[in-house]
Amino acid sequence: MVADAQASREAAAYLACVLQDLHQPMNDRLPQFAAPAASQSVLDRVLHTLGGRRFTHLSRSQAQPYLERMRSLLKADMDAGRPLHFCYDLGPGYHASVEADFTGLRFAPSLGELLALRQIHAFGREVAPVYAPGVRFSLVIDDLCAWVTNDVELIDTARYLKQFTALVGAVGMQDRVSVLAESALEDARVYRRAFERTPQLTKALAVSPAEQDNVSRFVGRACSTAQAADHLARYQRALVVSDHLLGAHLGGVRLTQRTTAQSLGFRCFPGSDVRLQSGEVDLLLASGAHPRPVLITHRHHALYRRWPVEMDALPPNWPLPTGSAQVAALAVC
C-alpha cells in the first residue's frame, strides 16, 4: 500500500499534469489550411485521429463503419467553414451510488468530468493543425429521462448542470464546449406528457440480479425485482421520447462513452471503456506504478481504501469544488 503522504504527492503531480494539458493552447502549431480540392484528405485525417486508441476503445477496423457514417455531417461543417460539431452523451446529471446499500447519489461533477474535458481538448489540438476552425462539443445530459425513469428530481440535477457549466468555464473551454441538458430543450411537463403517451412494453421484463443492482444504484435505494422491472420499463419508454426530442435539436455527430449500435464510443479518459455516471472516478495509486484513473462502482467499492486529496496538495487554481470527495486517491487494501 502506498503511504498517504507519498500518495498525496503522486496524486498532486498527476493532477497538475491534467491542468497543464488543459491549458495547452490550441494554436501553438502551424495550421495547415486546406484548399477545397484537399478537403477530403483533411476529413480523412480527422476521422483517422478520432478512430485512434487515444479516443476510442475500438480497433480501427471496428471503428471504420462508425467513422464512415459521420462523413456527411462533418463534410457539411467543413464546407460551411464552421467547427466540427460533436454531441457527446455524458449521462443523466448525477453519479450512481457506489455504496453497498445503494445510497448516496452524487449531484456534482468530479475528476471524471475533468478528464473528459481533457480528452476533448486533446482531440481539438489534434484537429486544429489540419482544420483551422477546430471542433465544438455539446455535452448532452439526459436529465428528463432520469426524472421520469428514476424519480431523480430536476432541482438536484440542476445543481450538477450549474457546476459542470462552471467547470467548463474554469478551464477556459466555454468557447468550444457547452453543457446541454434535455430540460433546456423541452419543457418538463411536455416531456412528461409525451412519456405518458408512449405505450408500455407488452411483455413484462425479466430482471436479472445484475440488472436489479444496476437499477438500484441509479435510483439510490435497494429495489425489489418488481420495482427494478418498473424502472426498466420506464427507461425503455423514456428512450423513445428522448431520442425523438434530441433528434429534433441536435445536428452534430453523436458520440457516447461506450459504443452503441448507432454511435462511436469516445473515451472519457485514455484506456477507459466506461460510463462516468456509473460510479466515481478516482486515482488508483499502488507501489511501483504511476497513478491512473479508474472508475469505482458499488461492485468493487469495498476492495479499496479511499481518501480525499487534501486541498493544500492540489495544484493552484484547481477548478473543482473545495471539499473532499470531489477528488479521491485510491489504494488497494
Side-chain angles (χ1 to χ4, degrees), residues 136-137 165-179:
R136 175 169 69 93
F137 272 68
T165 300
L167 176 61
V168 171
V171 296
M173 296 180 67
Q174 66 276 8
D175 59 337
R176 57 192 183 278
V177 174
S178 59
V179 179

Side-chain angles (χ1 to χ4, degrees), residues 12-330:
Y14 177 92
L15 297 173
C17 287
V18 170
L19 290 191
Q20 183 178 11
D21 289 346
L22 281 163
H23 291 140
Q24 287 184 332
M26 283 287 173
N27 56 355
D28 60 342
R29 291 177 290 179
L30 182 65
Q32 301 173 17
F33 293 97
S39 62
Q40 189 70 18
S41 64
V42 170
L43 180 52
D44 287 339
R45 291 179 69 176
V46 170
L47 293 175
H48 182 81
T49 298
L50 186 57
R53 281 300 177 95
R54 167 72 193 261
F55 299 109
T56 184
H57 62 277
L58 298 182
S59 68
R60 289 205 177 271
S61 61
Q62 291 171 326
Q64 195 59 35
Y66 296 94
L67 300 174
E68 288 302 316
R69 292 202 293 266
M70 300 175 187
R71 210 174 262 281
S72 60
L73 284 173
L74 295 180
K75 188 174 187 307
D77 285 338
M78 287 186 173
D79 290 345
R82 59 184 177 237
L84 306 179
H85 186 201
F86 296 90
C87 298
Y88 187 24
D89 291 353
L90 271 184
Y94 69 98
H95 291 264
S97 170
V98 299
E99 302 296 337
D101 63 358
F102 306 112
T103 59
L105 302 181
R106 182 166 175 176
F107 296 94
S110 55
L111 180 59
E113 283 83 355
L114 188 66
L115 294 177
L117 292 176
R118 182 180 64 165
Q119 281 286 89
I120 292 168
H121 183 80
F123 178 58
R125 276 177 52 81
E126 292 296 319
V127 170
V130 299
Y131 182 66
V135 301
R136 175 169 69 93
F137 272 68
S138 297
L139 306 181
V140 180
I141 307 297
D142 53 347
D143 56 341
L144 292 179
C145 178
W147 176 52
V148 299
T149 298
N150 295 331
D151 304 316
V152 175
E153 296 295 336
L154 293 175
I155 192 171
D156 292 324
T157 48
R159 299 202 315 268
Y160 175 95
L161 293 167
K162 182 178 181 180
Q163 291 182 52
F164 200 178
T165 300
L167 176 61
V168 171
V171 296
M173 296 180 67
Q174 66 276 8
D175 59 337
R176 57 192 183 278
V177 174
S178 59
V179 179
L180 184 60
E182 286 180 328
S183 58
L185 301 176
E186 188 63 88
D187 183 271
R189 293 166 296 182
V190 174
Y191 186 98
R192 171 71 76 175
R193 286 196 295 270
F195 170 78
E196 291 172 349
R197 289 195 301 266
T198 302
Q200 295 194 36
L201 296 176
T202 55
K203 184 179 179 181
L205 294 173
V207 179
S208 69
E211 289 173 321
Q212 184 177 351
D213 277 2
N214 190 53
V215 169
S216 297
R217 65 175 169 163
F218 278 98
V219 172
R221 58 179 172 79
C223 292
S224 67
T225 303
Q227 290 169 333
D230 173 63
H231 285 289
L232 288 172
R234 283 197 258 165
Y235 179 61
Q236 293 300 325
R237 294 165 64 197
L239 280 181
V240 174
V241 179
S242 289
D243 285 346
H244 176 73
L245 167 66
L246 294 175
H249 289 278
L250 300 181
V253 170
R254 293 293 298 277
L255 298 173
T256 44
Q257 295 172 75
R258 300 190 71 185
T259 298
T260 71
Q262 294 78 32
S263 57
L264 179 73
F266 184 85
R267 284 178 153 165
C268 43
F269 52 87
S272 72
D273 175 17
V274 300
R275 298 188 307 153
L276 298 180
Q277 64 267 30
S278 298
E280 298 178 11
V281 175
D282 288 356
L283 286 181
L284 178 62
L285 300 173
S287 297
H290 294 294
R292 63 178 178 85
V294 63
L295 181 71
I296 304 301
T297 71
H298 78 287
R299 291 191 180 94
H300 56 285
H301 170 264
L303 298 178
Y304 300 96
R305 183 171 68 89
R306 307 173 67 208
W307 68 93
V309 179
E310 299 297 334
M311 285 304 298
D312 59 4
L314 291 171
N317 301 317
W318 182 245
L320 288 166
T322 315
S324 54
Q326 298 301 325
V327 177
L330 185 87

